[in-house]
Amino acid sequence: MTSRTTPHTAPLAVAADLLALLGDTRTEPRADDQLEALTLAVAADLPVLLWGEPGIGKTAALTRLAEELDLPLTTVIASVHEPTDFSGLPVLGDDPAVRGVAMAPPDWAVRLVREGRGLLFLDELSTAPPAVQAALLRLVLERRVGALTLPPGVRIVAAANPRASAADGWELSAPLANRFVHLRWTHEHDVVVRGLGGTWPRATLPRLDPLRLPEAVDHARRAVCGLLGARPTLVHRLPGDETRRGGPWPSPRSWDMTLRLVAFATVAGSSRDVLSSLVRGTVGDGPGFELLAWLDRMDLPDPEELLADPAAAVLPERGDRRQAALEGVVAAVRERPARDRWDAAWALLARAAETGPPDLVVVPATTLAALRRDDWDVPTDIERLAGTIGLSRRAARPAAAARGRR
């Protein structure tokens, strides 16, 4: 008697094999500022909120992150839950008058506590109604769900679509928004194409240098405290409109988060782009850019050290920082004018023109020339610079004329 295969079994088995092959992907090391910013914020144990259009790969990125960090992934879609799912369901005991009423946590919270670690992914956050958002406040800030406290090994990441593209979307409440590091999630064409071909970028945690820990903490504290000491109005600035309140804005809480992120980025040696995403995603664009500028000034060489030995001076490589360093030297000469300091500044400008873009010297040289006293001879370094500055100015005129004709 010949056995027959059940008609529905074989086709589904083949389909399962095909699905397995389609899902068989690998990862590769690849520089990705988005992933680095995300992994740094997760390492710093700060709640992260990824903003991006639907279908752009936020959930897939979180899945890869959980795999790379070897953390169990727990996904909770906030919009389909009730407030009691986060604050806990009241459960009456034998004697409520004596023992009180316990708040029973949901099963996913119990699993996370049992595991002792994990990645809690709060998806579709912008579709959660205000009552659910209010219940999430305690979870995101205090890590409390009902009567349970999530262990330190649990990290929290959320995802949201902009209100215009969210199904029945809501703006985030200001208290909830201020508890997150907001990161914009976009797609890169070549990353998507290579990923669809079976290879996605690896979400590895940047290496944290243990020797730089004290230095990084001091650096972060000096930066944040120095800026807020000079700009006290930045300590707390609640945006005026509802949409901006649902994003990053400065408060003592978000500045504390920023300080932590600056320290982590310093230890990891992260790029300026990664640091910019983290800082602006925590306190907003305006205060974030001010902090980045403050950090740049902190990292500039001391003008007095440059003037003391122009021949051995080490100037920043990046153009904007090099120009800021040269302008700082000129400002130091203006503050304490002396013939030897004026000559040293010219020697430094001549060296800068020889070792970097000469156009960066034009403005500082023009300002320095105006500081000359009648009894100061013209140094030979001015003659070395004259041709460079003249060429830079002549090159700038056609460009300026072209802009004027537009």
Side-chain angles (χ1 to χ4, degrees):
M1 180 175 175
T2 306
S3 61
R4 285 188 181 177
T5 305
T6 305
H8 301 293
T9 303
L12 288 180
V14 174
D17 292 341
L18 178 57
L19 289 172
L21 285 173
L22 288 168
D24 185 16
T25 60
R26 59 185 181 275
T27 60
E28 64 179 359
R30 182 189 178 99
D32 190 310
D33 289 345
Q34 286 186 145
L35 277 176
E36 184 175 343
L38 171 60
T39 53
L40 267 181
V42 168
D45 198 13
L46 294 174
V48 184
L49 177 53
L50 303 181
W51 287 97
E53 298 296 335
I56 209 165
K58 302 185 293 294
T59 304
L62 261 295
T63 302
R64 294 199 305 275
L65 177 64
E67 291 174 353
E68 292 293 339
L69 299 182
D70 192 26
L71 292 174
L73 178 64
T74 298
T75 301
V76 177
I77 300 178
S79 58
V80 301
H81 286 268
E82 299 293 330
T84 50
D85 292 338
F86 300 103
S87 58
L89 289 165
V91 178
L92 295 177
D94 295 335
D95 193 347
V98 175
R99 298 180 179 274
V101 178
M103 303 300 286
D107 61 336
W108 55 264
V110 175
R111 288 197 305 271
L112 284 170
V113 172
R114 187 183 301 124
E115 288 281 346
R117 63 193 183 89
L119 184 64
L120 175 58
F121 179 32
L122 302 173
D123 203 2
E124 305 292 347
L125 198 63
S126 55
T127 60
V132 174
Q133 292 188 29
L136 283 168
L137 291 173
R138 198 176 184 209
L139 167 61
V140 175
L141 183 63
E142 300 176 21
R143 308 167 67 87
R144 297 273 297 179
V145 187
L148 288 181
T149 299
L150 298 180
V154 174
R155 300 295 197 261
I156 299 174
V157 180
N161 302 321
R163 183 174 182 178
S165 56
D168 296 323
W170 301 78
E171 297 290 0
L172 255 61
S173 67
L176 183 59
N178 198 236
R179 284 162 166 80
F180 281 104
V181 178
H182 300 250
L183 297 178
R184 298 290 172 186
W185 203 258
T186 58
H187 78 277
E188 293 185 26
H189 173 265
D190 56 336
V191 171
V192 173
V193 171
R194 188 156 177 77
L196 293 175
T199 305
W200 293 98
R202 185 172 300 155
T204 53
L205 179 67
R207 181 182 177 276
L208 303 177
D209 185 352
L211 299 179
R212 299 188 65 184
L213 301 187
E215 166 204 341
V217 172
D218 177 66
H219 178 69
R221 286 177 173 166
R222 284 191 297 113
V224 173
C225 295
L227 174 65
L228 297 184
R231 298 276 281 114
T233 58
L234 292 180
V235 173
H236 188 275
R237 183 183 288 175
L238 181 65
D241 63 90
E242 184 184 9
T243 300
R244 291 177 58 212
R245 288 183 182 184
W249 49 274
S251 71
R253 178 191 295 121
S254 58
W255 279 116
D256 180 64
M257 295 162 64
T258 301
L259 191 154
R260 191 186 301 189
L261 290 169
V262 171
F264 267 77
T266 302
V267 174
S270 298
S271 68
R272 181 183 174 85
D273 289 339
V274 171
L275 179 60
S276 176
S277 296
L278 292 168
V279 166
R280 293 186 295 114
T282 309
V283 293
D285 286 342
F289 280 126
E290 289 203 42
L291 178 61
L292 291 170
W294 188 273
L295 284 165
D296 279 345
R297 288 194 291 273
M298 282 177 53
D299 291 339
L300 291 177
D302 186 341
E304 295 300 331
E305 292 181 5
L306 296 178
L307 287 169
D309 190 359
V314 177
L315 292 168
E317 292 292 330
R318 208 176 75 205
D320 57 338
R321 295 188 62 215
R322 174 174 283 229
Q323 184 160 12
L326 296 176
E327 290 174 353
V329 166
V330 174
V333 174
R334 182 193 297 114
E335 187 176 331
R336 231 168 17 98
R339 169 65 190 276
D340 60 332
R341 291 164 62 80
W342 194 66
D343 289 345
W346 281 113
L348 188 66
L349 291 181
R351 189 162 183 270
E354 293 169 356
T355 59
D359 56 309
L360 298 180
V361 180
V362 175
V363 173
T366 303
T367 306
L368 185 63
L371 300 179
R372 178 176 178 264
R373 302 288 176 86
D374 292 339
D375 56 339
W376 292 354
D377 296 330
V378 176
T380 56
D381 289 309
I382 288 186
E383 297 177 5
R384 292 165 57 195
L385 282 169
T388 299
I389 294 175
L391 285 172
S392 297
R393 285 177 169 168
R394 284 196 294 274
R397 287 190 197 117
R403 286 194 297 269
R405 289 194 296 269
R406 289 175 188 168

